[in-house]
């Protein structure tokens, strides 16, 4: 299990997600078993390294930010509603967002040989969802209204004249 943690920390360090530092808070690393996409019961389990942020979450001031619902986004397109939607999946979305130098000192990790600070927003921090939504909100709303709104309207017209996806051109 230590090797899984070492590999994750190495990947994070190479990716600029963590860097060596002198944090004021240290958080334990826990391994969480990933859900298997392979339905083979004999496949070896895969693990994800996560920080146990319960201690800092107890003292955090929680920022709230309204998260739009799917229905509110669809309603914003007006009538007729688009027939085809695309999903934007922010893979490791939190880890795409930078953390201030001051905040990174509160997000420390220790390995066998090094002490690190997070340079990106970690999963499990009570404020992570609000940070992700607030930072991504302007970009996504702009993208949806500018590109997908126009595109979806065109697709709606085409879809009305087609029996299935393969007839789309």
């Amino acid at each position: 299990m230590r090797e899984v943690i070492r590999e994750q920390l190495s990947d994070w360090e190479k990716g600029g997600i963590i860097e060596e530092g002198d944090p004021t808070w240290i958080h334990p690393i826990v391994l969480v078993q990933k859900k298997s996409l392979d339905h083979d019961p004999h496949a070896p389990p895969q693990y994800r390294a996560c920080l146990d942020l319960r201690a800092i979450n107890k003292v955090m001031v929680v920022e709230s930010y309204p998260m739009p619902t799917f229905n509110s986004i669809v309603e914003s397109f007006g009538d007729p509603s688009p027939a085809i939607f695309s999903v934007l999946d922010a893979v490791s979305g939190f880890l795409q967002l930078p953390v201030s130098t001051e905040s990174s000192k509160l997000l420390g990790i220790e390995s066998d040989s090094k002490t690190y600070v997070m340079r990106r927003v970690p999963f499990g921090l009570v404020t992570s969802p609000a940070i992700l939504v607030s930072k991504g909100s302007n970009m996504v709303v702009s993208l949806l209204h500018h590109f997908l709104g126009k595109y979806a309207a065109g697709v709606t017209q085409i879809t009305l004249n087609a029996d299935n996806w393969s007839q789309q051109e």
Side-chain angles (χ1 to χ4, degrees), residues 22-157:
D22 187 26
T24 54
W25 283 59
I26 299 286
H27 303 282
I29 299 173
V30 294
L31 291 178
V32 178
Q33 188 171 343
K34 293 180 183 181
K35 290 184 180 179
S36 176
L37 298 178
D38 183 3
H39 298 294
D40 178 5
H42 303 292
Q46 298 290 311
Y47 294 93
R48 177 186 335 268
C50 301
L51 299 183
D52 182 351
L53 297 168
R54 290 178 288 184
I56 198 166
N57 281 340
K58 289 179 182 176
V59 297
M60 293 280 301
V61 175
V62 178
E63 237 182 87
S64 66
Y65 191 88
M67 185 170 301
T69 64
F70 180 76
N71 287 342
S72 68
I73 293 170
V74 171
E75 288 171 6
S76 74
F77 290 133
D79 279 332
S81 179
I84 297 174
F85 295 92
S86 294
V87 176
L88 302 175
D89 184 3
V91 174
S92 301
F94 302 138
L95 296 178
Q96 307 303 315
L97 303 172
V99 170
S100 71
T101 302
E102 182 181 338
S103 294
S104 71
K105 291 189 175 293
L106 302 173
L107 300 170
I109 309 168
E110 279 185 332
S111 71
D112 297 337
S113 59
K114 294 181 182 179
T115 302
Y116 300 98
V117 293
M118 295 290 298
R119 297 300 299 144
R120 303 287 178 176
V121 175
F123 179 80
L125 192 63
V126 71
T127 58
S128 294
I131 293 167
L132 180 65
V133 172
S134 67
K135 299 294 182 192
S137 177
N138 291 338
M139 179 200 65
V140 171
V141 168
S142 176
L143 177 66
L144 286 173
H145 287 285
H146 179 71
F147 175 72
L148 294 179
K150 292 176 185 175
Y151 179 72
V155 171
T156 300
Q157 292 172 352

Side-chain angles (χ1 to χ4, degrees), residues 8-30:
Q8 182 69 76
L9 292 177
S10 176
D11 289 347
W12 283 354
E13 190 171 19
K14 289 175 190 168
I17 294 168
I18 60 173
E19 65 185 17
E20 286 189 63
D22 187 26
T24 54
W25 283 59
I26 299 286
H27 303 282
I29 299 173
V30 294

